[in-house]
Amino acid sequence: MMMLTEIQRNVLYASIISDGEITKIYKNSRRKNNSYREHYGISQEEYRKWKVAFFDGLLYITPASQYVRSASLELLTNLFPHFYRKDGTKYLPFTLIKNCLLPHFIAILYMDDGSLSISFRVNHNKRIIYLTPHIYLYLQCYRKEELEKLKDHIFTTYELSFRLSARKDGHGFILKTTSVKETFRFLELIEPVATTCSSMLYKTSWDFRYQK
């Protein structure tokens, strides 16, 4: 079976958790193995090209349909039951996640399914605008107890503090940095990975976002 490098493993697992999926094999299908698929909007194409470059041909892009894809692979067949329940819904496989220790893992989770959200407050007397940035990970398709465990993994692995924040969609919760300090520590952590992806600077670079 194909072996992934440590970086590839961190990037692939984060991608499956976020925007990607391992395709199902339906009854009477001629396929023996599962494949990978990840749809994207045209504005995200450069990011997907950047991500695919980690995989030395394992993943490829079909621009006309705007998908990242793979061939049918035994690797993905073996991974499928780790990421999906019997009813087809995704869950977080902590037996695999516990070995995702590189900044690539949290960087891909964020670039796929996160945002740098900036709230502001105006002091009209002093003519000052106060900006408050937070990192959000929109993983509301996962259950509260799963996000609690992911939060703990992020803290143990990267020493970053997130908290659960309520939402009305999905299972009702996302992850959010606990303070401005943690937001900047997060951006500093992923910088060595994200700095080579210029199309994502609006998410990953405070200087770029501040100038905007």
Side-chain angles (χ1 to χ4, degrees):
M1 185 180 71
M2 180 181 298
M3 298 295 292
L4 298 173
T5 67
E6 188 177 6
I7 289 176
Q8 289 171 341
R9 187 167 60 249
N10 278 258
V11 173
L12 181 62
Y13 292 178
S15 296
I16 296 169
I17 290 168
S18 303
D19 282 350
E21 63 174 329
I22 302 176
T23 59
K24 300 171 180 64
I25 299 178
Y26 294 99
K27 188 177 180 179
N28 299 322
S29 173
R30 290 180 292 178
R31 290 196 304 153
K32 293 183 179 180
N33 289 301
N34 302 75
S35 60
Y36 179 81
R37 183 172 63 192
E38 178 180 331
H39 189 256
Y40 62 88
I42 191 63
S43 64
Q44 298 280 303
E45 186 166 282
E46 290 305 312
Y47 167 57
R48 262 55 186 201
K49 289 178 179 178
W50 174 84
K51 190 196 289 191
V52 163
F54 284 105
F55 289 95
D56 301 321
L58 174 66
L59 301 181
Y60 60 91
I61 288 177
T62 54
S65 60
Q66 296 174 208
Y67 272 100
V68 175
R69 299 181 185 272
S70 77
S72 298
L73 299 169
E74 183 183 359
L75 165 70
L76 293 163
T77 301
N78 291 335
L79 286 176
F80 185 86
H82 289 278
F83 287 91
Y84 293 87
R85 298 182 182 89
K86 289 184 179 180
D87 65 2
T89 58
K90 279 185 179 180
Y91 68 94
L92 295 177
F94 288 97
T95 54
L96 301 180
I97 290 173
K98 69 180 182 180
N99 297 314
C100 291
L101 308 176
L102 300 182
H104 299 71
F105 177 74
I106 191 71
I108 297 299
L109 282 183
Y110 171 59
M111 288 191 278
D112 269 24
D113 262 348
S115 72
L116 173 57
S117 179
I118 303 172
S119 58
F120 65 92
R121 178 173 59 87
V122 180
N123 185 319
H124 293 285
N125 292 329
K126 295 183 179 180
R127 301 181 69 184
I128 295 175
I129 300 175
Y130 296 93
L131 302 178
T132 306
H134 285 285
I135 299 296
Y136 286 88
L137 299 178
Y138 296 105
L139 300 170
Q140 61 266 36
C141 65
Y142 297 103
R143 297 173 182 176
K144 181 180 180 181
E145 59 269 23
E146 293 177 270
L147 293 184
E148 288 278 10
K149 290 180 70 175
L150 179 60
K151 174 176 69 71
D152 292 343
H153 172 73
I154 291 171
F155 181 76
T156 301
T157 305
Y158 307 107
E159 297 182 348
L160 290 168
S161 295
F162 278 77
R163 65 176 176 86
L164 269 66
S165 181
R167 291 267 296 193
K168 293 183 179 180
D169 55 342
H171 286 286
F173 292 93
I174 59 176
L175 293 179
K176 175 186 179 181
T177 46
T178 56
S179 67
V180 172
K181 178 183 177 182
E182 291 300 284
T183 296
F184 284 112
R185 289 185 65 244
F186 178 90
L187 294 175
E188 182 180 357
L189 173 75
I190 68 168
E191 183 179 12
V193 179
T195 190
T196 58
C197 186
S198 59
S199 66
M200 279 284 162
L201 288 177
Y202 72 98
K203 279 189 180 185
T204 61
S205 170
W206 172 250
D207 289 340
F208 181 89
R209 188 65 175 273
Y210 180 75
Q211 290 301 323
K212 287 290 184 182

